[in-house]
Amino acid sequence: MAKIKETIATYAAQSVEQRRGWFSPAAAAYAATRPRYPQQLVEAVVARAGLTATSTILEVGCGPGTATVSFAELGCGIVAIEPNPDFCLLAQEACQRFPNVEVVTTSLEEWKPHQEQFDAVVAASSFHWIPPEIANPKAARALRQNGWLILLWNKELQPPVQTHEALRTIYRRHAPELDRPYEDAATVAGILAVLGQPLLESPLYQGAHESRCVVESRLTIDDYLTLLTTYSPFLALDPAVREALLAELRQALERLHGESVPLTYTSGYLMAQRRKAGEAIEELHLQQ
């Protein structure tokens, strides 16, 4: 897992300005092809956190509103912050029918919350982009006593293992840095453990709970290739390399699967409760 930790640290080390425009070239594709979070997971965290129509939620890094809509359907008040202006426009469009949702173009680092305002802070595939020494205390300051920090993840969609192995030759030829083994259940669990480690180790939270499920999906080859372009390693490729890679992937996928690709992905959550105000360890960290 050393490589995973290194990759996550690389994301968190980016400046706010770097992160602000990172997904802009793929913003529309992201909104169109990234899957929503499974309803069963959303319902599970809502129930555990005791969220209702009268609750208030801060969403950190809402992207194009992928998870925002699911929580907005509760009827609760949501402030969704997102540094990327292209994502913000898409999130506003996605949440037009929810008058209690406010989308704010800013980063967590720049945002100045009123203390103890929210019942929950939600971050869907976004918290690892923020240095934990900033993210954990600032989320805690925004939470009411016993409020919940809720982290959600959708792992990358994967074709069947036989297809994955067949495509590795193409990745090695065009972009060897993207070649990776198939992520089995144990590997995915390890990656999610690394992503959740800063929260589990934080003295600001307690009573951690987590769960995950495997979701089956199917996309047309066009949509699957578009989805790939929304992942950070693809965004980092030289455009000519990316075009050649996608062209050869298309040929292989059409040969193996015809018009659509069967896919699976793991979706999971980790949530923990802010410690009660007045506890010495919390006071120490929240005042930093």
Side-chain angles (χ1 to χ4, degrees), residues 2-14 128-129 131-132 194:
K3 186 175 181 180
I4 297 298
K5 291 182 179 180
E6 181 181 342
T7 300
I8 293 171
T10 299
Y11 293 153
Q14 290 189 1
H128 58 281
W129 285 88
V194 172

Side-chain angles (χ1 to χ4, degrees), residues 56-67:
T56 54
I57 295 174
L58 169 68
E59 185 180 3
V60 177
C62 71
T66 308

